[in-house]
Amino acid sequence: MDCIFCNIIQGKIPAQFVYKDEHVVVFHDIHPKARVHVLIVPIKHLDSINAVTSADTNIVGKMFVVAPLIAGQLGVKESGYKLLVNVGEGAGQVVPHMHMHLLGDRKE
Ligand code: AMP
Ligand code: ZN
């Protein structure tokens, strides 16, 4: 299967990584919709939240643990940020590898 986010995770396509652990990676969105726009992406390929099972609890939990860490690192933890997950094409999911957007407007 040719998945753009799997390719990024495997280093076959470049991305600007800001975090990596055993469950998730975080990299900058290529078309940022806010001054801070990164994607929190599980290393395991799951098409969307619809593919998540209880076996993935650690992965999904880690996405939420990492979000405030990255928000702090990128300077939006106190000013505020949004976490957004599109599920399915009808909701605007374009990349069929589950991911969470972290969007914030860092004051500069
Ligand atoms: P979604 O619409 O929720 O599927 O979001 C997919 C996101 O992935 C969009 O915001 C795209 O800008 C972003 N994106 C697509 N290709 C890349 C890439 N090669 N590197 C970084 N972000 C990407
Ligand atoms: Zn994938």
Short mmCIF file of all heavy atoms in Angstrom, two decimals, residues 76-104:
data_model
loop_
_atom_site.label_atom_id
_atom_site.label_comp_id
_atom_site.label_asym_id
_atom_site.label_seq_id
_atom_site.Cartn_x
_atom_site.Cartn_y
_atom_site.Cartn_z
N VAL A 76 2.30 27.52 21.95
CA VAL A 76 0.86 27.80 21.93
C VAL A 76 0.10 27.17 23.10
O VAL A 76 -1.12 27.25 23.17
CB VAL A 76 0.20 27.37 20.60
CG1 VAL A 76 0.74 28.20 19.45
CG2 VAL A 76 0.38 25.89 20.33
N LYS A 77 0.83 26.57 24.02
CA LYS A 77 0.15 25.85 25.11
C LYS A 77 -0.70 26.80 25.96
O LYS A 77 -1.82 26.46 26.33
CB LYS A 77 1.18 25.13 25.99
CG LYS A 77 0.55 24.21 27.01
CD LYS A 77 1.60 23.39 27.73
CE LYS A 77 0.96 22.51 28.78
NZ LYS A 77 1.98 21.73 29.51
N GLU A 78 -0.19 27.98 26.23
CA GLU A 78 -0.93 28.93 27.06
C GLU A 78 -1.89 29.77 26.23
O GLU A 78 -3.01 30.05 26.67
CB GLU A 78 0.04 29.84 27.84
CG GLU A 78 1.06 29.08 28.68
CD GLU A 78 0.44 28.03 29.62
OE1 GLU A 78 -0.69 28.24 30.10
OE2 GLU A 78 1.09 27.00 29.87
N SER A 79 -1.50 30.15 25.02
CA SER A 79 -2.37 31.00 24.19
C SER A 79 -3.56 30.22 23.64
O SER A 79 -4.62 30.78 23.37
CB SER A 79 -1.57 31.63 23.04
OG SER A 79 -0.89 30.64 22.31
N GLY A 80 -3.40 28.90 23.50
CA GLY A 80 -4.52 28.06 23.07
C GLY A 80 -4.30 27.44 21.71
O GLY A 80 -3.59 27.99 20.85
N TYR A 81 -4.88 26.28 21.54
CA TYR A 81 -4.74 25.55 20.27
C TYR A 81 -5.92 24.63 20.08
O TYR A 81 -6.66 24.34 21.02
CB TYR A 81 -3.41 24.77 20.26
CG TYR A 81 -3.25 23.78 21.39
CD1 TYR A 81 -3.57 22.44 21.23
CD2 TYR A 81 -2.79 24.20 22.64
CE1 TYR A 81 -3.43 21.53 22.28
CE2 TYR A 81 -2.64 23.30 23.69
CZ TYR A 81 -2.96 21.97 23.51
OH TYR A 81 -2.82 21.08 24.54
N LYS A 82 -6.10 24.19 18.84
CA LYS A 82 -7.18 23.26 18.50
C LYS A 82 -6.60 21.91 18.13
O LYS A 82 -5.56 21.84 17.47
CB LYS A 82 -7.97 23.77 17.29
CG LYS A 82 -8.90 24.89 17.59
CD LYS A 82 -9.59 25.36 16.32
CE LYS A 82 -10.24 26.69 16.64
NZ LYS A 82 -10.53 27.47 15.46
N LEU A 83 -7.31 20.86 18.52
CA LEU A 83 -6.99 19.51 18.06
C LEU A 83 -8.13 19.06 17.19
O LEU A 83 -9.30 19.16 17.58
CB LEU A 83 -6.82 18.57 19.27
CG LEU A 83 -5.68 18.94 20.22
CD1 LEU A 83 -5.70 18.05 21.45
CD2 LEU A 83 -4.34 18.84 19.51
N LEU A 84 -7.82 18.62 15.99
CA LEU A 84 -8.85 18.29 15.01
C LEU A 84 -8.54 16.96 14.33
O LEU A 84 -7.43 16.73 13.87
CB LEU A 84 -8.90 19.40 13.95
CG LEU A 84 -9.80 19.16 12.75
CD1 LEU A 84 -11.27 19.27 13.15
CD2 LEU A 84 -9.49 20.15 11.65
N VAL A 85 -9.54 16.10 14.29
CA VAL A 85 -9.39 14.83 13.58
C VAL A 85 -10.54 14.71 12.57
O VAL A 85 -11.71 14.67 12.96
CB VAL A 85 -9.44 13.61 14.54
CG1 VAL A 85 -9.23 12.32 13.76
CG2 VAL A 85 -8.39 13.75 15.64
N ASN A 86 -10.21 14.70 11.30
CA ASN A 86 -11.21 14.46 10.27
C ASN A 86 -11.36 12.96 10.10
O ASN A 86 -10.37 12.24 9.98
CB ASN A 86 -10.77 15.10 8.94
CG ASN A 86 -10.71 16.61 9.02
OD1 ASN A 86 -11.57 17.24 9.63
ND2 ASN A 86 -9.69 17.20 8.42
N VAL A 87 -12.60 12.49 10.06
CA VAL A 87 -12.86 11.05 9.92
C VAL A 87 -13.69 10.84 8.66
O VAL A 87 -14.90 11.15 8.63
CB VAL A 87 -13.59 10.49 11.15
CG1 VAL A 87 -13.75 8.97 11.01
CG2 VAL A 87 -12.84 10.83 12.43
N GLY A 88 -13.04 10.35 7.62
CA GLY A 88 -13.73 10.06 6.37
C GLY A 88 -13.74 11.23 5.40
O GLY A 88 -13.62 12.39 5.80
N GLU A 89 -13.84 10.87 4.13
CA GLU A 89 -13.81 11.88 3.06
C GLU A 89 -14.86 12.96 3.23
O GLU A 89 -14.63 14.13 2.98
CB GLU A 89 -14.01 11.21 1.69
CG GLU A 89 -12.77 10.53 1.15
CD GLU A 89 -13.04 9.82 -0.17
OE1 GLU A 89 -13.83 10.34 -0.97
OE2 GLU A 89 -12.45 8.74 -0.37
N GLY A 90 -16.04 12.55 3.66
CA GLY A 90 -17.15 13.50 3.83
C GLY A 90 -16.85 14.57 4.86
O GLY A 90 -17.44 15.64 4.85
N ALA A 91 -15.91 14.27 5.76
CA ALA A 91 -15.52 15.24 6.79
C ALA A 91 -14.25 15.99 6.39
O ALA A 91 -13.74 16.79 7.16
CB ALA A 91 -15.30 14.52 8.12
N GLY A 92 -13.73 15.69 5.20
CA GLY A 92 -12.54 16.40 4.73
C GLY A 92 -11.25 15.64 4.95
O GLY A 92 -10.17 16.21 4.78
N GLN A 93 -11.34 14.36 5.33
CA GLN A 93 -10.09 13.59 5.46
C GLN A 93 -9.56 13.28 4.07
O GLN A 93 -10.23 12.61 3.28
CB GLN A 93 -10.31 12.29 6.25
CG GLN A 93 -9.00 11.55 6.48
CD GLN A 93 -9.18 10.23 7.26
OE1 GLN A 93 -10.28 9.87 7.67
NE2 GLN A 93 -8.09 9.52 7.43
N VAL A 94 -8.36 13.78 3.81
CA VAL A 94 -7.74 13.61 2.49
C VAL A 94 -6.69 12.50 2.54
O VAL A 94 -6.53 11.74 1.58
CB VAL A 94 -7.10 14.95 2.04
CG1 VAL A 94 -6.30 14.76 0.77
CG2 VAL A 94 -8.17 16.01 1.86
N VAL A 95 -5.96 12.42 3.64
CA VAL A 95 -4.92 11.39 3.78
C VAL A 95 -5.48 10.24 4.61
O VAL A 95 -5.81 10.42 5.80
CB VAL A 95 -3.65 11.97 4.43
CG1 VAL A 95 -2.62 10.87 4.65
CG2 VAL A 95 -3.07 13.10 3.59
N PRO A 96 -5.60 9.05 4.01
CA PRO A 96 -6.22 7.93 4.73
C PRO A 96 -5.26 7.20 5.66
O PRO A 96 -5.09 5.98 5.58
CB PRO A 96 -6.73 7.03 3.60
CG PRO A 96 -5.79 7.29 2.47
CD PRO A 96 -5.30 8.72 2.60
N HIS A 97 -4.59 7.96 6.51
CA HIS A 97 -3.76 7.44 7.59
C HIS A 97 -4.10 8.36 8.77
O HIS A 97 -3.83 9.56 8.72
CB HIS A 97 -2.28 7.51 7.21
CG HIS A 97 -1.31 7.02 8.25
ND1 HIS A 97 -0.29 6.12 7.97
CD2 HIS A 97 -1.19 7.32 9.58
CE1 HIS A 97 0.40 5.89 9.07
NE2 HIS A 97 -0.12 6.61 10.06
N MET A 98 -4.73 7.77 9.77
CA MET A 98 -5.24 8.56 10.89
C MET A 98 -4.23 9.59 11.40
O MET A 98 -3.05 9.29 11.54
CB MET A 98 -5.59 7.61 12.03
CG MET A 98 -6.21 8.28 13.22
SD MET A 98 -6.73 7.00 14.36
CE MET A 98 -5.46 7.10 15.57
N HIS A 99 -4.71 10.79 11.68
CA HIS A 99 -3.83 11.83 12.21
C HIS A 99 -4.65 12.89 12.91
O HIS A 99 -5.85 13.05 12.63
CB HIS A 99 -3.02 12.49 11.08
CG HIS A 99 -3.87 12.97 9.94
ND1 HIS A 99 -4.34 12.12 8.96
CD2 HIS A 99 -4.34 14.20 9.64
CE1 HIS A 99 -5.06 12.83 8.10
NE2 HIS A 99 -5.09 14.08 8.49
N MET A 100 -4.00 13.61 13.79
CA MET A 100 -4.64 14.70 14.52
C MET A 100 -3.92 16.00 14.18
O MET A 100 -2.69 16.06 14.23
CB MET A 100 -4.54 14.42 16.02
CG MET A 100 -5.16 15.47 16.91
SD MET A 100 -4.78 15.09 18.63
CE MET A 100 -6.07 13.92 18.97
N HIS A 101 -4.69 17.00 13.78
CA HIS A 101 -4.12 18.33 13.53
C HIS A 101 -3.99 19.07 14.86
O HIS A 101 -4.90 19.02 15.69
CB HIS A 101 -5.04 19.16 12.63
CG HIS A 101 -5.27 18.59 11.27
ND1 HIS A 101 -4.69 19.10 10.14
CD2 HIS A 101 -6.03 17.54 10.85
CE1 HIS A 101 -5.08 18.41 9.08
NE2 HIS A 101 -5.91 17.45 9.49
N LEU A 102 -2.87 19.77 15.03
CA LEU A 102 -2.71 20.69 16.17
C LEU A 102 -2.50 22.07 15.56
O LEU A 102 -1.54 22.30 14.84
CB LEU A 102 -1.52 20.27 17.04
CG LEU A 102 -1.32 21.01 18.37
CD1 LEU A 102 -0.43 20.20 19.31
CD2 LEU A 102 -0.73 22.41 18.20
N LEU A 103 -3.47 22.95 15.83
CA LEU A 103 -3.47 24.28 15.21
C LEU A 103 -3.47 25.35 16.29
O LEU A 103 -4.29 25.30 17.23
CB LEU A 103 -4.74 24.46 14.36
CG LEU A 103 -4.90 23.49 13.19
CD1 LEU A 103 -6.31 22.94 13.13
CD2 LEU A 103 -4.56 24.20 11.89
N GLY A 104 -2.58 26.31 16.16
CA GLY A 104 -2.54 27.39 17.13
C GLY A 104 -1.92 28.63 16.52
O GLY A 104 -1.21 28.55 15.52
#
